[in-house]
Amino acid sequence: MKRLFISATLVCLMLVGCTNREVEHKTEYKMKQELNLTQEWDKVFPLSEKVNHRKVTFETQYGLTLAADLYTPKAVKGKLAAIAVSGPFGATKEQSSGLYAMQMAERGFVALAFDPSYTGESSGEPRRTASPDINTEDFMAAVDFLSQQDNVDSAKIGIIGICGWGGIALNAAAADPRIKATVASTMYDMSRVGGNGYFDSEDKEESRYAARKTLAMQRLSDPMAMAGGVVDPLPEDAPQFVKDYHDYYKTKRGYHPRSGNSNDGWRVIGTQAYSNTRFLYYINEIRSAVLIMHGEKAHSRYFGEAAYHYMVEGKAEGYKFVGNPNPVPENKQLLIIPSATHCDLYDGGKSNFIPWDKLAAFFHENLK
């Protein structure tokens, strides 16, 4: 007896009388959105004489156009390994991510620093909105873009995520095997802090329910309200990590007019999706190389250490789920930088804490 296969097209024709035009299998490509990119050098760091720089754009699978800075080494030619960089959460490519990209380009990589969807010079409305899915796609779209460059070896692509984008980088590495090496620097797990509060101090149903009610009402009262960036002026009793944020985002050291953290921050409901999800569930299955780098004195250190242990062992404090140990634990590293705080790994701080050569060696070793 012959099996009967009925295609989706045939069903469509039988049930709703589709026309030939309606059932044509065509891929319609959306036109790129025109972005108003600033061409002048407006970073918080000087341009290195060792690299070339140009502004670029690329598309995501959500139909958004992202703005980016592409850095290439002047002294190295041919097809090179490449690295995509983003973060911190609420920052722009003119700040920390651009510095990381430029430093990696100095060391022989093609490096792309991009503004995430809805932020900086990238497209997306309403502004300053975040999504675990969309932000993970931002990294994967950056890999798409780098893979298509004539001077990039598409088999040798890595990523760097800084602060909240460190966790997003791990999520992208778990989802996309094309990513051969990942660095999570001074990382936050945005889903964990969103649902549990700092140091898991609000990790109870009552607290989450109260927060959900508040956000639900905010959607009705004023969904476009902004939450504000880093507090300014700085209260005398501010915790040290808040003082560290202020020292970076609100001073000449790191202030930028397009940075949410430097100015009016996120929409109040702009990160609502992060508070009700856990998105590092499968990092224990990442087979590619990962380096998690954190400051010894960083308030956020517990995020990186827990992520490392879950990634390698399949279980860790702060993770309610238990998985299998990683099938390739030997290429996973945890690097604690003595005396460094969270923001010291944004730009090196006063003591040049970021081990640029070690990061480059990690990528050279694992993108070969």
Side-chain angles (χ1 to χ4, degrees), residues 91-112:
T92 66
K93 63 189 182 305
E94 286 72 34
Q95 297 171 306
S96 182
S97 62
L99 176 64
Y100 271 72
M102 188 180 72
Q103 289 286 344
M104 292 299 99
E106 282 190 355
R107 290 160 175 79
F109 300 93
V110 173
L112 181 78

Side-chain angles (χ1 to χ4, degrees), residues 174-250:
D176 193 339
R178 296 176 302 165
I179 298 169
K180 297 301 192 295
T182 301
V183 169
S185 177
T186 195
M187 71 163 279
Y188 265 49
D189 177 344
M190 294 303 299
S191 60
R192 181 174 174 181
V193 73
N196 295 1
Y198 276 110
F199 312 110
D200 299 321
S201 60
E202 300 298 324
D203 186 15
K204 45 186 177 288
E205 185 273 339
E206 295 87 351
S207 297
R208 281 187 284 271
Y209 181 69
R212 289 165 184 157
K213 285 180 63 178
T214 299
L215 289 173
M217 295 306 298
Q218 184 69 44
R219 295 175 71 99
L220 298 176
S221 62
D222 186 3
M224 304 306 295
M226 302 303 289
V230 173
V231 61
D232 190 40
L234 191 66
E236 292 184 4
D237 60 349
Q240 183 59 48
F241 74 91
V242 174
K243 294 178 181 178
D244 292 341
Y245 280 135
H246 186 277
D247 186 56
Y248 182 79
Y249 286 110
K250 291 293 188 176

Side-chain angles (χ1 to χ4, degrees), residues 278-282 284 310 314-316 318-323:
R278 290 294 176 270
F279 72 154
L280 300 182
Y281 189 90
Y282 289 117
N284 63 311
Y310 180 75
K315 57 183 178 181
Y319 285 68
K320 291 183 171 67
F321 38 84
V322 175

Side-chain angles (χ1 to χ4, degrees), residues 179-183 283-292 308 311-312 326-334 362 365-366:
I179 298 169
K180 297 301 192 295
T182 301
V183 169
I283 62 172
N284 63 311
E285 297 181 0
I286 298 175
R287 297 187 181 190
S288 58
V290 177
L291 170 63
I292 294 179
Y308 171 79
M311 179 176 59
V312 173
N326 198 287
V328 191
E330 60 271 16
N331 61 6
K332 310 300 188 290
Q333 302 177 45
L334 175 64
F362 168 80
E365 172 64 24
N366 293 288

Side-chain angles (χ1 to χ4, degrees), residues 100 185-186 240-241 244 253 293-302 335-355:
Y100 271 72
S185 177
T186 195
Q240 183 59 48
F241 74 91
D244 292 341
R253 172 185 170 193
M293 179 174 73
H294 239 107
E296 178 190 20
K297 295 183 178 179
H299 69 283
S300 54
R301 178 177 168 179
Y302 73 103
L335 175 64
I336 303 299
I337 308 297
S339 301
T341 66
H342 180 83
C343 292
D344 283 335
L345 298 190
Y346 283 7
D347 61 354
K350 296 178 180 178
S351 298
N352 298 315
F353 281 110
I354 300 174

Side-chain angles (χ1 to χ4, degrees), residues 74-134:
K74 289 182 177 180
V76 186
K77 305 300 180 183
K79 282 190 173 289
L80 307 177
I83 303 168
V85 191
S86 199
F89 203 82
T92 66
K93 63 189 182 305
E94 286 72 34
Q95 297 171 306
S96 182
S97 62
L99 176 64
Y100 271 72
M102 188 180 72
Q103 289 286 344
M104 292 299 99
E106 282 190 355
R107 290 160 175 79
F109 300 93
V110 173
L112 181 78
F114 64 88
D115 284 333
S117 298
Y118 304 99
T119 66
E121 293 184 297
S122 292
S123 70
E125 295 288 345
R127 304 304 290 165
R128 310 248 172 84
T129 299
S131 159
D133 286 341
I134 291 175

